[in-house]
Amino acid sequence: MSLCVEECDQVHIDDVSSDDNGQDLSTYNFGADGFHAAATSANLCLATGVRGGVDWMRKLAFRYRRVKEIYTTYKNNVGGLLGPAKREAWLQLRAEIEALTDSWLTLALKALTLIHSRSNCVNILVTTTQLIPALAKVLLYGLGIVFPIENIYSATKIGKESCFERVIQRFGRKVVYIVVGDGVEEEQGSKKHNMPFWRISSHSDLMALHHALDLEYL
């Protein structure tokens, strides 16, 4: 099922939830509700049924609700979403990627799992990838269990610094934020908000991060 939401990308999964009227979607036909034609139109008028209109925004909200349901259902079992054949092909590809990257994903997942296991800590992902493709990648790489969907932000439209500001607005200023990354943008954003920055540019950096977490230095 194609939900056609990439061209209407948001920063956060709940950004259009206020336009959702709570309608039962169990029999809703996403492919025949006219959303795709409006979404690909250059017309930005606010008339009903046109991109940006009330009806259009409600249909967009339905799609984001469905994406959230799919993510929550399959965050621990992406194979169930892919089906047997695609699951085996993807597991094989992931194994090859792990071999070529010297188990980079496994190392990262160890650190993320440690953080997730703490009752007073959360993992937050801020990515330059559009939200919907980012959610798909998180599921495919088996990271759904350590990144709740509400903790994933896309910086495609507003930049990472603005995403950091949104995170601070949500969790407040009385908590400790540690930014982990390898890019200039996140380092600059962390400095602006006085957040410690842990640079990851090699396996040794990942291993050091896991070691610091394991010993509760972080």
Side-chain angles (χ1 to χ4, degrees):
M1 176 181 64
S2 174
L3 296 180
C4 178
V5 291
E6 284 188 43
E7 61 268 81
C8 316
D9 201 52
Q10 305 295 311
V11 175
H12 187 269
I13 193 67
D14 292 328
D15 279 358
V16 292
S17 61
S18 62
D19 295 297
D20 192 334
N21 63 5
Q23 177 180 327
D24 180 11
L25 300 180
S26 58
T27 59
Y28 186 83
N29 190 337
F30 287 97
D33 66 353
F35 179 83
H36 182 76
T40 54
S41 170
N43 193 338
L44 298 180
C45 297
L46 299 180
T48 300
V50 180
R51 182 182 175 113
V54 174
D55 183 60
W56 185 89
M57 289 301 296
R58 184 169 59 250
K59 291 174 181 178
L60 178 62
F62 289 166
R63 282 157 172 76
Y64 272 87
R65 190 201 329 164
R66 181 59 184 141
V67 167
K68 191 172 185 177
E69 289 172 353
I70 292 171
Y71 186 100
T72 303
T73 301
Y74 294 101
K75 64 181 180 181
N76 298 331
N77 179 31
V78 70
L81 180 61
L82 295 175
K86 289 183 178 179
R87 175 184 179 276
E88 290 306 314
W90 175 240
L91 288 177
Q92 178 60 37
L93 180 56
R94 263 180 55 176
E96 293 173 7
I97 292 172
E98 280 288 85
L100 290 171
T101 60
D102 196 18
S103 300
W104 181 273
L105 176 60
T106 299
L107 287 171
L109 187 54
K110 282 183 178 180
L112 292 166
T113 301
L114 256 179
I115 297 168
H116 183 71
S117 68
R118 297 174 176 175
S119 60
N120 62 341
C121 295
V122 295
N123 291 309
I124 299 170
L125 177 64
V126 177
T127 175
T128 52
T129 303
Q130 286 187 312
L131 185 61
I132 300 305
L135 295 176
K137 289 179 182 178
V138 170
L139 287 180
L140 287 170
Y141 283 103
L143 299 174
I145 192 170
V146 294
F147 284 113
I149 192 169
E150 64 270 15
N151 289 358
I152 299 175
Y153 294 80
S154 170
T156 303
K157 288 184 176 180
I158 66 174
K160 288 190 174 181
E161 186 178 308
S162 294
C163 284
F164 289 175
E165 291 172 357
R166 285 193 55 169
V167 171
I168 293 170
Q169 288 172 4
R170 177 181 165 194
F171 291 98
R173 297 187 178 275
K174 294 183 179 180
V175 298
V176 177
Y177 298 95
I178 298 175
V179 179
V180 179
D182 65 349
V184 174
E185 188 179 3
E186 55 257 36
E187 184 172 10
Q188 290 176 341
S190 65
K191 286 181 178 178
K192 179 177 179 180
H193 295 290
N194 296 315
M195 300 175 179
F197 180 72
W198 190 292
R199 180 179 298 281
I200 299 290
S201 56
S202 66
H203 281 75
S204 60
D205 295 331
L206 264 181
M207 294 174 70
L209 175 62
H210 180 266
H211 189 62
L213 289 165
D214 192 36
L215 296 178
E216 297 188 352
Y217 293 150
L218 288 179

